[in-house]
Amino acid sequence: MYSEDEIDPHRETAPHFSNPFANDEPGDENEPWRNGSDTNEAGKAEDSAEENDNSDQTHERHEHNHEDQPTTSHPHPHPPPPALSFTVGHLVDRSKRTPVYTFSAVTNMPRFKARKYTGVERSQVEFERLETHLQATYPECLVPTLGPGTTTSKYVPEYQNDRLVVLLLQQWLDRVSRHPILKQDYELRQFVEAPFVFNPALSNSPALTMAPTPASSSSGFFSWGKSRQQPRITSGSTPFEQMLETTSANLGVFQRNASDVRRWHGRLARTQARLAVDLRDVGTKLVSVGVIEHNAQLARAFKRLGKSFLHAGPCSQTLANSEGSRTWAVLGLEAAACADVQRTLQCRQLIFTEHQVAERQLERKKQAAAVLRSSSSINPDHAQDAVAELAAAKADADSRRQRAERVDRVLSTDLRVFEYGREGDIRAMFAALARDHLHIERQVLSEQRAALEFVRQGKIRGAESRAQQGTA
């Protein structure tokens, strides 16, 4: 039933590596003008000398052709850009509490010890550790949201779509490996090369702490009359910050709507599952009636109708599995991704706030150094301490200024990539759901046509038998 591309939330953003190890510059044999340019220029010079007595128009034509001739310099071949690609294999063991995956990696980055890794096994917990490390280490980047290790929900608890889990994991690895900053991370290399369990050391620096997620508004008595407006994530003084405010508000609305759609899809899946059970029960009862019926024509009709209901039951269960697992998982992932984007935007404001605090601290250190310099009695120990504190404050302010300058540049690109990926994920999800519905409806329609043809044949046979009895 499932085609190779029916569940592909990463189709629109699939990586295309055109052999990163190949030389980007074409060879000299493909560019004859590089080898023959000197000869051509000499020929042009000889022609111009022989035709010097001709008209000025011909002389100008030769000079024009000489200027259009390319240079003879041989540019040095540029090294290929750093590339990293992953290919997820399959789930090794589902019997454990958390799934374990196998994947292979290919890279040309010099910091890796090898160019190709195969048969690497990592559990869902280790992938979650890597995601947490990337979020804590790079608060200025939009770290892709890791998919769930399971598609089992309370609506279809007995169904597990392992292929969807693998595809969502492949999507996450592809997006991380294409990010220009995340793919350079040291722990990502350790994630690939570690021979045993991967357990990164998270940084506890105050500058790298994640901004807290705003708590949801309470519905108690003492919360009556309080404003439910979300806190602002920027000052809104520039067009880019206004765009970030609009994006945060739109993602908040989308997150709430996606959560509602996810919940209602789950209820629809539960209804479909109940309908599947009822269809099977009705089909079984109709077949039983056909078995005990003494009228042969009527018995065949009951059996055929029961067969139609028995065929419709698994079709309804398939739709329940599709709506309660795939749609449920993808919409939950998109809602979590919106929450991660909002948290990243809050981290941006935190980075700018820390930069302003560092600048004010630097100004105070400068004022203290100026007061100490103007003093008549200077203690050497105090002077050395002041100079050291001023240098530390300057270094801290410079590093925070660089991060503040980088965050908007990185965030602008990451937001465009996020919007493109979100659009592709939702489109692919609904396209796969529509293909499933269409496939199931075709099966049901084919069964109904067969039942209708059976009824028509029964009518014909009944009319013929009655005609024969009348003739007799």
Side-chain angles (χ1 to χ4, degrees):
M1 171 182 173
Y2 299 112
S3 61
E4 188 63 26
D5 58 344
E6 66 169 4
I7 311 170
D8 195 357
H10 188 60
R11 171 175 295 276
E12 297 296 331
T13 57
H16 300 282
F17 294 105
S18 58
N19 189 6
F21 311 104
N23 191 357
D24 293 337
E25 293 295 331
D28 293 338
E29 65 274 9
N30 297 328
E31 297 178 354
W33 57 267
R34 289 190 175 182
N35 293 329
S37 57
D38 295 338
T39 306
N40 293 338
E41 290 183 0
K44 294 294 182 180
E46 292 176 359
D47 293 341
S48 61
E50 292 176 357
E51 298 178 0
N52 192 19
D53 297 334
N54 294 341
S55 61
D56 295 338
Q57 182 178 0
T58 304
H59 182 69
E60 292 176 359
R61 185 180 70 250
H62 284 286
E63 289 182 350
H64 180 71
N65 293 338
H66 179 74
E67 293 175 355
D68 291 342
Q69 200 67 18
T71 60
T72 61
S73 61
H74 295 271
H76 297 285
H78 298 285
L84 177 64
S85 63
F86 293 92
T87 303
V88 181
H90 58 279
L91 272 79
V92 178
D93 189 3
R94 172 62 75 176
S95 62
K96 298 181 180 180
R97 186 174 63 178
T98 58
V100 179
Y101 312 93
T102 62
F103 66 89
S104 60
V106 178
T107 181
N108 64 345
M109 301 172 68
R111 63 180 59 190
F112 283 81
K113 298 179 181 179
R115 290 293 175 261
K116 186 176 183 180
Y117 302 84
T118 58
V120 184
E121 291 188 6
R122 291 289 179 263
S123 65
Q124 179 70 20
V125 175
E126 292 174 290
F127 277 98
E128 293 173 358
R129 291 172 183 170
L130 177 61
E131 180 192 27
T132 304
H133 161 75
L134 294 176
Q135 290 176 347
T137 308
Y138 305 99
E140 70 274 13
C141 299
L142 283 181
V143 179
T145 304
L146 180 65
T150 178
T151 57
T152 299
S153 65
K154 62 181 180 181
Y155 306 105
V156 283
E158 72 283 353
Y159 179 72
Q160 182 61 256
N161 193 342
D162 289 342
R163 185 170 180 267
L164 175 62
V165 174
V166 171
L167 285 174
L168 291 178
L169 182 63
Q170 179 70 59
Q171 165 187 291
W172 185 78
L173 286 174
D174 288 338
R175 292 179 177 177
V176 169
S177 62
R178 288 200 310 270
H179 197 282
I181 297 178
L182 300 182
K183 69 180 180 181
Q184 305 285 344
D185 183 69
Y186 171 78
E187 294 295 343
L188 180 60
R189 179 173 71 87
Q190 292 297 109
F191 180 79
V192 176
E193 296 179 346
F196 302 107
V197 178
F198 172 73
N199 191 9
L202 298 179
S203 175
N204 55 3
S205 175
L208 301 180
T209 54
M210 298 296 295
T213 303
S216 58
S217 59
S218 58
S219 57
F221 174 79
F222 293 101
S223 64
W224 182 83
K226 294 182 180 180
S227 175
R228 296 188 177 184
Q229 185 178 4
Q230 295 291 337
R232 296 181 63 87
I233 59 173
T234 64
S235 61
S237 58
T238 63
F240 181 73
E241 292 184 342
Q242 295 175 3
M243 185 271 291
L244 293 182
E245 285 287 345
T246 304
T247 301
S248 178
N250 293 338
L251 291 180
V253 174
F254 175 81
Q255 181 182 2
R256 293 190 295 271
N257 292 336
S259 300
D260 293 339
V261 172
R262 179 173 180 253
R263 183 173 63 254
W264 284 107
H265 260 283
R267 295 180 180 179
L268 179 60
R270 184 165 53 194
T271 304
Q272 289 279 7
R274 293 174 180 174
L275 177 61
V277 175
D278 294 340
L279 288 173
R280 286 194 294 264
D281 292 341
V282 171
T284 303
K285 296 298 182 182
L286 288 174
V287 171
S288 301
V289 171
V291 170
I292 63 175
E293 176 60 39
H294 65 278
N295 188 336
Q297 295 291 337
L298 192 57
R300 285 196 298 268
F302 275 117
K303 291 179 181 179
R304 189 64 184 81
L305 184 59
K307 181 182 177 182
S308 299
F309 276 92
L310 289 175
H311 183 270
C315 294
S316 181
Q317 183 62 50
T318 303
L319 288 179
N321 296 338
S322 177
E323 293 170 350
S325 63
R326 178 190 303 131
T327 309
W328 185 84
V330 174
L331 287 177
L333 180 62
E334 294 299 327
C338 292
D340 290 342
V341 171
Q342 291 180 327
R343 183 170 60 250
T344 303
L345 295 180
Q346 296 172 19
C347 288
R348 174 192 177 274
Q349 184 63 24
L350 178 63
I351 289 173
F352 275 88
T353 302
E354 291 177 346
H355 169 57
Q356 295 173 0
V357 171
E359 290 292 339
R360 289 195 294 267
Q361 186 71 14
L362 178 61
E363 290 297 328
R364 285 195 292 268
K365 295 298 181 182
K366 289 181 179 180
Q367 294 175 2
V371 171
L372 187 61
R373 233 183 346 265
S374 61
S375 177
S376 58
S377 59
I378 301 178
N379 191 341
D381 295 336
H382 292 174
Q384 292 180 359
D385 294 342
V387 171
E389 292 177 358
L390 179 61
K394 186 177 184 304
D396 183 63
D398 291 340
S399 64
R400 297 185 185 278
R401 175 180 54 80
Q402 293 175 1
R403 168 168 283 191
E405 292 175 351
R406 185 181 62 178
V407 61
D408 284 350
R409 181 175 64 255
V410 174
L411 198 57
S412 176
T413 304
D414 287 356
L415 282 175
R416 289 197 300 269
V417 174
F418 170 77
E419 288 294 336
Y420 180 77
R422 182 167 66 105
E423 178 185 354
D425 295 346
I426 298 298
R427 190 191 309 117
M429 179 196 67
F430 284 113
L433 187 63
R435 284 194 295 269
D436 284 351
H437 276 271
L438 182 60
H439 184 75
I440 295 300
E441 293 299 334
R442 284 175 177 174
Q443 290 184 352
V444 174
L445 181 60
S446 176
E447 182 63 26
Q448 296 297 329
R449 286 177 177 174
L452 180 60
E453 185 64 23
F454 175 82
V455 172
R456 290 175 179 175
Q457 294 295 334
K459 287 183 178 180
I460 294 175
R461 287 194 297 268
E464 290 177 354
S465 63
R466 286 192 298 270
Q468 290 177 0
Q469 293 176 1
T471 304

